[in-house]
Amino acid sequence: MTDIKAVARELVVANRILSREDVVDAYGHVSVRHPDNPNRFLIATSIAPELVEETDIVELDLDCAPIKDDGRPLYHERFIHGAIYQARPDVHAVVHAHSEDVLPFAISTAPLRPVIHSGSFMGTKVPVWDIADKFGTGTNMLVTNIDQGRDLAKALGSDNVALMRGHGFAAAARSLIEAVRISVYTPRNARALTKAVMLGGEIKPLHDGEIAARNAGYKPYSLETRRAWRYWAHKAGCAHLVDDHAVDHQHKPWGT
Ligand SMILES: [Zn+2]
């Protein structure tokens, strides 16, 4: 049995990092699949990520109903997470954010492609999901039920990131650290690409072989990755919540 408190603590760290790195603000959220029960996931109640504490973490089933309903409000868009976990057994962590830097690519036909080495974890393709395609032009743009979540998950397919037209992005990964990493670097990659387009001239995206080589060499809980996690946590003022021994122990079976 996994120490769920340690997993919840890691999720608090992920919330604080995403906030400090300006990936999320009052809105946006991150979740992690329950390590012992793949039909559940952990996510905060309806609280801004910067303010999330361990006691705010709750367990939901994959239809996004709370396992223990204590009346606390939940994120309206929790269905993004549940639907992706339903569709993707390989996914153990999901982030949803409204990062401004990706939005130009979510409202135009210009594709978001990896153009910097740290953007390689987005993968070769970043699909754009448009809620209006299936649910019409009268929605409030938010993913507020499981059908909308499933449609988004379908658009995501086997990719790591999907843009959401006029809204933001969803990122899916095999570990919490990887989901956070993708979510930190996707907006940076988008920023670099936008600036390059403004400069004019030819854009040189990463080659498929370079993306494959970087992904093949990546280990979510390697020393190098932990270095970034510790750095981000320190910057976000929550280094004291990082328990290397506990986390390394928890994740080694499927994380290395
Ligand atoms: Zn949203």
Side-chain angles (χ1 to χ4, degrees):
M1 287 283 285
T2 306
D3 178 358
I4 292 301
K5 282 194 169 178
V7 178
R9 216 159 32 241
E10 279 292 281
L11 191 52
V12 171
V13 173
N15 272 276
R16 305 281 185 84
I17 289 173
L18 290 170
S19 183
R20 181 65 182 80
E21 298 300 317
D22 284 331
V23 178
V24 295
D25 48 21
Y27 304 99
H29 19 82
V30 52
S31 69
V32 64
R33 197 191 287 269
H34 193 297
D36 298 330
N37 185 343
N39 295 316
R40 294 182 184 179
F41 66 98
L42 283 76
I43 193 168
T45 54
S46 186
I47 288 173
E50 185 173 340
L51 307 177
V52 168
E53 305 280 355
E54 215 175 305
T55 50
D56 300 315
I57 303 297
V58 291
E59 284 183 31
L60 308 184
D61 66 25
L62 298 194
D63 286 326
C64 301
I67 303 303
K68 290 178 199 159
D69 190 357
D70 58 12
R72 284 185 288 177
L74 302 171
Y75 293 127
H76 292 305
E77 292 196 287
R78 61 192 181 278
F79 300 97
I80 293 170
H81 302 257
I84 291 175
Y85 290 126
Q86 284 180 9
R88 292 276 300 275
D90 60 310
V91 165
H92 288 267
V94 173
V95 171
H96 169 58
H98 304 148
S99 171
E100 280 177 36
D101 293 314
V102 306
L103 292 179
F105 300 94
I107 58 174
S108 73
T109 55
L112 178 57
R113 293 176 291 181
V115 292
I116 58 176
H117 78 294
S118 49
S120 60
F121 302 115
M122 292 189 303
T124 51
K125 184 165 68 70
V126 179
V128 181
W129 176 70
D130 187 341
I131 193 169
D133 286 348
K134 182 165 181 189
F135 300 99
T137 54
T139 71
N140 66 0
M141 306 284 293
L142 305 181
V143 179
T144 54
N145 61 57
I146 197 68
D147 285 343
Q148 292 173 340
R150 284 178 181 150
D151 197 49
L152 168 62
K154 195 173 156 192
L156 175 68
S158 59
D159 294 316
N160 300 333
V161 180
L163 301 183
M164 302 158 73
R165 195 261 305 163
H167 183 168
F169 73 86
R174 59 190 163 163
S175 70
L176 188 57
I177 287 182
E178 205 168 351
V180 168
R181 186 186 172 94
I182 290 172
S183 302
V184 168
Y185 286 116
T186 292
R188 291 185 191 183
N189 184 97
R191 205 154 58 227
L193 180 52
T194 302
K195 286 181 179 170
V197 169
M198 290 166 72
L199 285 174
E202 183 195 353
I203 303 293
K204 290 187 173 179
L206 298 192
H207 297 290
D208 287 356
E210 292 167 339
I211 295 168
R214 287 191 56 79
N215 287 335
Y218 180 69
K219 291 186 170 58
Y221 291 89
S222 69
L223 193 63
E224 292 78 10
T225 305
R226 296 295 300 169
R227 186 173 82 188
W229 189 254
R230 284 193 205 100
Y231 162 70
W232 283 325
H234 180 77
K235 220 174 132 188
C238 58
H240 61 288
L241 296 178
V242 175
D243 182 347
D244 283 327
H245 176 74
V247 170
D248 286 348
H249 177 70
Q250 301 304 336
H251 292 287
K252 251 175 191 160
W254 50 268
T256 54

